Amino acid sequence: MNFIFLILILSCSLHKKYYLKSNDFIGEKILFSLQEGSSYQKAEKFGEHFGNSKEPNIYEVLRGSIEEVSNETKINMVYSESFVFPTDSITPVIVNIKNIDWIFNETKTTMNVNIEYKLSDDRIINIVGVHKYKVFVAGTKSGNLRKSLKDGHKQFLSTL
């Protein structure tokens, strides 16, 4: 029984909480576009690992991560294939995925995604999106990348 309790405590402590006020974004739409060249990033693996999954479609994974964060936070966020100019109600953001590291350790695996968010006022916000999971849970590049990007988006929103 104590072992189960310990696992529950450890798994709960691995989840990060970001306090986002969706009221701060009322009437605003955040439009994310992927910077050309980011779609060619490959996940670099470090440490011992088994198997291999296919390379993710960065556009699709980014779109899915934005939709999930939008649904979870109730903030109007969408993916656009092209850059749009800012208006009073639209905040364009260019996403540049710098690199993807997938680190394998004995007990857990971590995917770090270095993301650069560029706003229309030339502000640049650098974030490392992180997704950690236990080794006995299988993971794919696409699934882990989506979760790492979601973490990055939430960190980005908390800075606005």
Side-chain angles (χ1 to χ4, degrees), residues 2-14 134:
N2 290 336
F3 179 72
I4 293 172
F5 183 69
L6 179 64
I7 288 177
L8 286 173
I9 289 174
L10 290 175
S11 65
C12 291
S13 67
L14 294 176
K134 293 186 170 62

Coordinates of all heavy atoms in Angstrom, one line a residue, residues 2-14 134:
N2 N 1.9 1.3 0.8 CA 2.8 2.4 0.8 C 3.5 2.7 -0.5 O 3.7 3.8 -0.9 CB 3.9 2.3 1.9 CG 3.3 2.3 3.3 OD1 2.3 2.9 3.5 ND2 4.0 1.7 4.3
F3 N 3.8 1.6 -1.2 CA 4.4 1.7 -2.6 C 3.5 2.4 -3.5 O 3.9 3.3 -4.3 CB 4.8 0.3 -3.1 CG 5.4 0.3 -4.4 CD1 6.7 0.8 -4.6 CD2 4.7 -0.1 -5.5 CE1 7.3 0.8 -5.8 CE2 5.3 -0.1 -6.8 CZ 6.6 0.4 -6.9
I4 N 2.2 2.1 -3.5 CA 1.2 2.7 -4.4 C 1.1 4.2 -4.0 O 1.1 5.1 -4.9 CB -0.1 2.0 -4.3 CG1 0.0 0.6 -4.9 CG2 -1.2 2.8 -5.0 CD1 -1.2 -0.3 -4.7
F5 N 1.1 4.5 -2.8 CA 1.0 5.9 -2.3 C 2.2 6.7 -2.8 O 2.1 7.8 -3.2 CB 0.9 5.9 -0.8 CG 0.7 7.3 -0.2 CD1 -0.5 8.0 -0.4 CD2 1.7 7.9 0.5 CE1 -0.7 9.3 0.1 CE2 1.5 9.1 1.1 CZ 0.4 9.9 0.8
L6 N 3.4 6.1 -2.7 CA 4.6 6.7 -3.1 C 4.6 7.0 -4.6 O 4.9 8.1 -5.1 CB 5.8 5.9 -2.8 CG 7.2 6.4 -3.2 CD1 7.5 7.7 -2.4 CD2 8.3 5.4 -2.9
I7 N 4.1 6.1 -5.4 CA 4.0 6.3 -6.9 C 3.0 7.4 -7.2 O 3.3 8.3 -8.0 CB 3.6 5.0 -7.6 CG1 4.7 4.0 -7.5 CG2 3.1 5.3 -9.0 CD1 4.5 2.7 -8.1
L8 N 1.9 7.5 -6.5 CA 0.9 8.6 -6.7 C 1.5 9.9 -6.4 O 1.3 10.9 -7.1 CB -0.3 8.3 -5.9 CG -1.3 7.2 -6.3 CD1 -2.4 7.0 -5.3 CD2 -1.8 7.6 -7.7
I9 N 2.3 10.0 -5.3 CA 2.9 11.3 -4.9 C 3.9 11.7 -5.9 O 3.9 12.9 -6.4 CB 3.5 11.2 -3.5 CG1 2.5 11.1 -2.4 CG2 4.5 12.4 -3.2 CD1 3.0 10.8 -1.0
L10 N 4.7 10.8 -6.4 CA 5.8 11.1 -7.4 C 5.2 11.5 -8.7 O 5.6 12.4 -9.4 CB 6.7 9.9 -7.6 CG 7.7 9.7 -6.4 CD1 8.5 8.4 -6.7 CD2 8.6 10.9 -6.1
S11 N 4.1 10.8 -9.1 CA 3.5 11.1 -10.4 C 2.8 12.4 -10.4 O 2.8 13.2 -11.4 CB 2.6 10.0 -10.9 OG 1.5 9.9 -10.0
C12 N 2.2 12.8 -9.3 CA 1.5 14.1 -9.2 C 2.6 15.2 -9.1 O 2.3 16.3 -9.6 CB 0.7 14.1 -7.9 SG -0.8 13.1 -8.0
S13 N 3.7 15.0 -8.5 CA 4.7 16.0 -8.4 C 5.4 16.3 -9.8 O 6.0 17.4 -9.9 CB 5.8 15.7 -7.4 OG 6.5 14.6 -7.9
L14 N 5.2 15.5 -10.8 CA 5.8 15.7 -12.1 C 5.0 16.6 -12.9 O 5.5 17.1 -13.9 CB 6.0 14.4 -12.8 CG 7.1 13.4 -12.2 CD1 7.1 12.1 -12.9 CD2 8.4 14.0 -12.1
K134 N 7.7 8.1 -17.3 CA 8.4 7.0 -16.8 C 8.7 6.0 -18.0 O 8.0 5.9 -18.9 CB 7.6 6.3 -15.8 CG 7.4 7.1 -14.5 CD 6.7 6.4 -13.4 CE 6.7 7.1 -12.1 NZ 6.1 8.3 -12.0

